[in-house]
Amino acid sequence: MEETDPLLHSNRVQRESTSLQRSDQNDTQRIRPDRIAVVCIILTVMCERLAYYSVVANLILYCHSKLGISSTKATDINLIFTGSVFLVPAFGGYIADVYTGKYKTILGSGFIYILGLTLLYYSAINGISHNLREALFFSSLVFITIGSGGIKSNIGPLGAQQVECLGTPAVQSFFNWFFWSINFGAVIAHTAVAYVQQKIRFDYGYLIPLVVMIIGQFIFWIGRNRYITASDEGSPFREIFGICWASRCKGFDQAERRNHGRIYTKETVKRVRAFCKILPVFGLAIVYFGTYAQTHSTFFLQSERLDISKLSDIVPDAALGSFDNIAILILIPLMEIFIYPFLKRINQTPSLLQRMGLGMIFAVLSVVAAGVLEIYRKHDISLNQTIFDKDYNASSISIFTQIPQFTLMGTSEVFTSVSGMEFTYSEAPDMMKGVCMGLYLDTIGIGAFFALMIIKIVNGIFKDPWLPDDINNGKAENLFFLFAVLTFLNFILFIFVAKR
């Protein structure tokens, strides 16, 4: 394989020219990016992520305290919600690519999102019946899932379109700061908003993301006449299925000879080939994101049963999740300003897939650290502590011992998640960027369902469940080590696929 293969050297690929236009004009000439448009997109995604993580940060605790749901079922709800949020983007990207365009899809999805957050706020109000609370809660998660999915698949590609006329380095820089803004919003959610939810009242804590999302929607609307958008080109799947059928999936070049009355140009066949080449990479991201899903599920269950007294009354235990995000906030500027430029000067710039593989190794180290901590934690169950009116038998080991596993997972995101987004945008054909970004985000959702499946399987196979309602009576360390093994094996397969 030649060195210029796009799968190994995405940052060198020659991209197809994209006809660009203002969202309110038919101007197809390339123009310099509007800084205000880029800022509006960055602020919008920060507000959306702040709102999302404000919902998910204490979701398990909310299920415990307000709905009376057991730990196991609350973990299931958390993983199902997280998985669903990341499954909808492919549909949102398709709608944008084929029918409404990115701007209208994001704007419409934002209103659905706000409706979901409104229902969630009302579900947390004191004095309503349990049945009504449940109905409002689960309905809110459905609307939040739809709204968030429509935004996720399109906001990244729309932002990258604003700067792609400046070349590959500008696109890479955009995705770095795009991901940085996501994690800045997450830190606020895991600290300030989680504090309001845990220490004051949940309805006040859910009012904050509602207000923030309204502000984000307004900011996005302000830039409506400034965004550069790609022209509509019809349904990408029609070409994909048509070419695959014509070639019988044995060789795309045959599609030009066996088109059954439909003309498929070399350029069209090239696009479909590029699409099919990135699918294995998406598939191999699933196990990684299944491991990453532990940060908002089993890691949180572990947090509840560690000594939180040193956090004092001013810091919620959900704040531990912010160490993941803090690692990202520190590492992205470090990589962007110092490390990557230095590696470029010595001609040792790692490819996007190499960065993704490195991130998988950090994820392995994260769950290994969690497993080792769990072994020591269960040897010392000597405390009884109360979190939001619920008692837990906990270890005297400080909750701060979770910092290494969260930091390692955050480091893995800098390499795998950021590079995965850039890889998807760089390799996707112009007419399919929304769909491809949606498919990449789908791997995060499928990963959450994969994690849920693994938990159900091991709980069903073994006589003593690894993850019972009270993890003090389970073997969560075995679950963490299992995810470490699966992620490492996935990394080995990833290397093989990337080289091919």
Side-chain angles (χ1 to χ4, degrees):
M1 177 169 285
E2 295 182 359
E3 182 177 313
T4 55
D5 190 293
L7 281 177
L8 297 178
H9 296 269
S10 305
N11 54 333
R12 302 179 188 178
V13 69
Q14 293 184 349
R15 296 174 178 79
E16 302 168 84
S17 62
T18 306
S19 62
L20 302 175
Q21 60 180 15
R22 291 284 186 178
S23 56
D24 61 336
Q25 300 175 358
N26 291 323
D27 180 15
T28 58
Q29 297 179 347
R30 281 189 175 275
I31 53 180
R32 294 192 62 80
D34 189 316
R35 292 184 179 180
I36 294 179
V38 176
V39 170
C40 285
I41 290 172
I42 292 292
L43 291 177
T44 298
V45 77
M46 185 185 72
C47 290
E48 189 276 327
R49 289 292 82 189
L50 194 160
Y52 169 75
Y53 284 110
S54 296
V55 174
V56 80
N58 274 326
L59 188 62
I60 291 178
L61 184 61
Y62 182 81
C63 290
H64 286 170
S65 59
K66 287 288 189 178
L67 300 176
I69 297 174
S70 68
S71 294
T72 302
K73 290 184 178 179
T75 302
D76 292 349
I77 292 171
N78 181 286
L79 290 173
I80 290 171
F81 172 64
T82 303
S84 299
V85 163
F86 286 98
L87 281 179
V88 174
F91 180 73
Y94 175 79
I95 293 296
D97 284 346
V98 178
Y99 298 108
T100 60
K102 293 178 178 60
Y103 171 76
K104 291 182 180 178
T105 303
I106 295 170
L107 195 68
S109 298
F111 287 117
I112 297 174
Y113 205 133
I114 289 172
L115 173 59
L117 291 172
T118 301
L119 295 176
L120 183 62
Y121 163 69
Y122 280 110
S123 78
I125 293 177
N126 294 329
I128 65 174
S129 68
H130 181 78
N131 290 338
L132 178 59
R133 190 186 306 280
E134 278 194 340
L136 290 172
F137 172 71
F138 288 110
S139 297
S140 71
L141 296 187
V142 171
F143 286 110
I144 292 172
T145 297
I146 296 172
S148 180
I151 293 173
K152 284 176 184 293
S153 56
N154 296 294
I155 194 77
L158 180 64
Q161 284 176 358
Q162 312 308 304
V163 300
E164 69 176 356
C165 58
L166 299 180
T168 299
V171 173
Q172 177 179 330
S173 181
F174 167 79
F175 277 114
N176 280 332
W177 293 111
F178 176 86
F179 204 74
W180 190 92
S181 68
I182 288 175
N183 286 275
F184 183 76
V187 168
I188 297 175
H190 282 124
T191 52
V193 181
Y195 169 80
V196 174
Q197 293 170 349
Q198 186 173 322
K199 303 296 183 180
I200 304 178
R201 284 173 53 171
F202 260 108
D203 53 349
Y204 295 162
Y206 284 148
L207 180 61
I208 296 173
L210 172 59
V211 173
V212 167
M213 190 63 203
I214 293 173
I215 293 172
Q217 187 80 336
F218 179 71
I219 291 173
F220 184 72
W221 177 79
I222 288 176
R224 64 194 181 281
N225 294 326
R226 296 178 176 272
Y227 300 129
I228 302 171
T229 58
S231 58
D232 298 331
E233 297 189 53
S235 171
F237 289 111
R238 184 185 307 165
E239 303 294 345
I240 293 172
F241 294 140
I243 290 176
C244 288
W245 174 258
S247 65
R248 300 294 190 269
C249 294
K250 295 180 179 179
F252 289 114
D253 293 336
Q254 298 182 40
E256 295 178 64
R257 301 191 299 271
R258 197 188 308 161
N259 55 45
H260 298 282
R262 186 172 180 82
I263 299 176
Y264 297 113
T265 65
K266 290 184 178 180
E267 192 66 27
T268 303
V269 172
K270 181 181 178 182
R271 288 178 174 179
V272 174
R273 181 185 286 112
F275 172 79
C276 291
K277 287 184 73 174
I278 64 178
L279 288 181
V281 178
F282 290 174
L284 291 171
I286 291 173
V287 175
Y288 165 79
F289 285 117
T291 302
Y292 167 76
Q294 305 313 302
T295 57
H296 299 296
S297 54
T298 53
F299 282 14
F300 187 86
L301 294 178
Q302 189 181 58
S303 299
E304 293 175 327
R305 292 157 178 85
L306 289 165
D307 183 7
I308 66 169
S309 60
K310 293 180 182 179
L311 284 178
S312 79
D313 291 333
I314 63 173
V315 181
D317 58 328
L320 263 293
S322 66
F323 281 101
D324 172 358
N325 310 115
I326 290 171
I328 294 171
L329 294 181
I330 294 173
L331 281 173
I332 284 181
L334 182 65
M335 302 299 293
E336 173 79 10
I337 298 173
F338 299 107
I339 304 301
Y340 287 146
F342 172 74
L343 292 175
K344 184 177 181 180
R345 284 197 297 271
I346 62 175
N347 295 320
Q348 296 295 324
T349 303
S351 71
L352 295 175
L353 291 186
Q354 289 170 343
R355 297 177 202 172
M356 292 178 68
L358 179 60
M360 292 178 185
I361 294 300
F362 280 107
V364 170
L365 297 176
S366 174
V367 282
V368 167
V372 172
L373 174 59
E374 185 65 10
I375 291 174
Y376 284 96
R377 185 194 69 80
K378 290 197 302 181
H379 284 166
D380 181 20
I381 307 295
S382 57
L383 292 179
N384 185 275
Q385 60 188 11
T386 302
I387 303 176
F388 205 84
D389 300 327
K390 186 174 178 63
D391 294 329
Y392 296 92
N393 292 321
S395 170
S396 61
I397 297 176
S398 172
I399 194 173
F400 288 110
T401 53
Q402 281 192 311
I403 290 177
Q405 65 201 57
F406 279 107
T407 303
L408 287 167
M409 192 64 77
T411 304
S412 80
E413 284 191 85
V414 171
F415 294 106
T416 300
S417 295
V418 178
S419 300
M421 293 177 66
E422 185 187 347
F423 171 82
T424 301
Y425 183 82
S426 301
E427 297 299 330
D430 291 332
M431 64 182 292
M432 299 170 61
K433 291 189 183 297
V435 170
C436 288
M437 187 64 73
L439 289 173
Y440 172 71
L441 294 172
D442 278 358
T443 64
I444 303 177
I446 297 172
F449 283 108
F450 171 77
L452 179 60
M453 180 189 71
I454 293 296
I455 292 173
K456 295 299 183 183
I457 289 174
V458 297
N459 278 349
I461 290 177
F462 296 99
K463 182 178 179 180
D464 297 323
W466 287 6
L467 197 69
D469 288 340
D470 186 351
I471 66 170
N472 290 332
N473 302 321
K475 297 180 180 179
E477 66 275 14
N478 291 351
L479 184 65
F480 293 135
F481 293 142
L482 175 60
F483 276 111
V485 171
L486 291 175
T487 306
F488 183 76
L489 293 176
N490 184 75
F491 166 72
I492 299 299
L493 183 57
F494 182 85
I495 293 176
F496 174 76
V497 171
K499 286 184 176 181
R500 292 182 62 86

